[in-house]
Amino acid sequence: MGSRSKAKPWTLVGAARAAREARIATAEYLRHARVARPWEMNRLLSAFQLHAAHLGDEQAALMMLFTGMGYRPPFPTDWQQATELVLTDEARYLDEAELYVLSPQMCDVALAATATLTAQDLQLLDVDDLPSPRGLVILPYPVVTASINGDLSDLRAFTWRSPATILDPSPKSRWTKELPAVRMSSYHDTHGPVRPDSFLNFAARARAQGTPLPPLLLDAVRLFPFRYADGAPEALRQFAATARRIGEQTRRFDRESGVEEERVVGEYTPGSQISDQDDLFAIRFLYAFWRLCDQRLVTLEPAEVNHSARVVAQRAGISPDVRVPAAPDDLASGR
């Protein structure tokens, strides 16, 4: 779990204002920041190379990469075009999302619920579980996770979007069977505790170009099918094994080259991160959050919208509304 700031107590009004500002700044950055392009292109290339190593076939890897994000053939003709497609869509999805913020107490509850969910539990996920067709939930503090390739991430926000469809990768279907799914994206906290050299260099370039990094930084985009097949957990385990092998090779190369890619600062305690060994933490967390929203003990309260918030939102072309999933006593103590 990431470092929580003790300088300012959490308040509903402050969290809602910060969430609105974070969404606007992040979407603007994705649309226009020149430095965002090579960063996202590198992430797409890394994902493609991982799929290629796992599948042993570059065409199949391209299919897995793009259909896994919800795209259909014909795919982009080059990586620059692919980068623009993803960033443009992500900016638009941020604009269209219904905005949620979690209090520290509700985030703790959601993380505890996340830890109880298994891959088998996720087979029950259905479209009716979503509290809204499009959403963005921002956490009150960064959550440090160790991904399947061993890298540390400080996650701060997630988006979802439905309806979506994913192509069934089963050889028997020959990629022609479409399955209903939810598209989700994860975002890092640019001020979080995970500070590898690659990120610090990237942040420095962004400042030098006059486009400092926004509060949220796009991490990954993926689709997750509703009520997915029994064979999916085994496929995920095989993919995770490939990712761990390549991740260890990359970290070994970085250490031998004198590059520090495992630096974590602040109140973080080494070894306290959440292990995401099957690459399912994001969907587990969202599923836990969605289920909490559906419980009668939890209310979805709208945060107060003042004139300034309405003006800022109107200029950005988005809704100023923010919803806060919380228990009644949580809201009373957080105002």
Side-chain angles (χ1 to χ4, degrees), residues 122-325:
L122 295 177
Q123 295 184 33
L124 301 176
L125 175 63
D126 206 342
V127 64
D128 293 336
D129 293 314
L130 278 58
S132 60
R134 298 176 294 276
L136 162 64
V137 58
I138 298 181
L139 283 55
Y141 52 81
V143 174
V144 177
T145 63
S147 63
I148 56 173
N149 65 0
D151 290 344
L152 293 180
S153 300
D154 40 12
L155 299 175
R156 190 63 186 270
F158 301 96
T159 66
W160 69 88
R161 187 177 182 87
S162 180
T165 56
I166 187 170
L167 292 181
D168 185 355
S170 169
K172 295 180 180 179
S173 69
R174 296 186 181 180
W175 299 88
T176 58
K177 182 180 179 182
E178 292 192 348
L179 303 175
V182 57
R183 173 172 166 142
M184 56 186 183
S185 303
S186 55
Y187 284 81
H188 292 301
D189 186 338
T190 56
H191 303 292
V194 180
R195 318 295 283 179
D197 284 347
S198 57
F199 171 79
L200 295 177
N201 294 334
F202 172 54
R205 289 198 304 274
R207 290 192 299 270
Q209 293 182 17
T211 50
L213 298 182
L216 305 175
L217 185 64
L218 180 62
D219 173 32
V221 181
R222 66 183 295 185
L223 264 65
F224 194 85
F226 294 119
R227 297 190 173 271
Y228 66 90
D230 292 339
E234 177 58 32
L236 283 171
R237 282 192 290 270
Q238 294 175 4
F239 178 74
T242 301
R244 282 192 290 271
R245 174 174 55 81
I246 293 178
E248 179 54 39
Q249 292 173 352
T250 301
R251 284 191 300 280
R252 188 184 308 117
F253 176 80
D254 288 337
R255 287 192 292 267
E256 293 173 352
S257 302
V259 177
E260 177 55 77
E261 288 294 282
E262 301 176 85
R263 182 187 300 107
V264 185
V265 300
E267 299 174 15
Y268 168 77
T269 301
S272 65
Q273 70 271 5
I274 295 173
S275 178
D276 189 15
Q277 294 186 349
D278 55 9
D279 202 27
L280 292 175
F281 173 76
I283 187 60
R284 278 198 183 101
F285 182 88
L286 283 175
Y287 191 23
F289 166 67
W290 295 334
R291 289 171 63 174
L292 285 170
C293 289
D294 194 44
Q295 293 181 9
R296 294 183 179 181
L297 294 177
V298 173
T299 58
L300 287 172
E301 295 287 339
E304 180 181 350
V305 182
N306 59 26
H307 175 71
S308 176
R310 292 190 184 280
V311 170
V312 171
Q314 184 176 22
R315 288 174 180 170
I318 63 172
S319 169
D321 297 333
V322 180
R323 304 180 75 184
V324 186

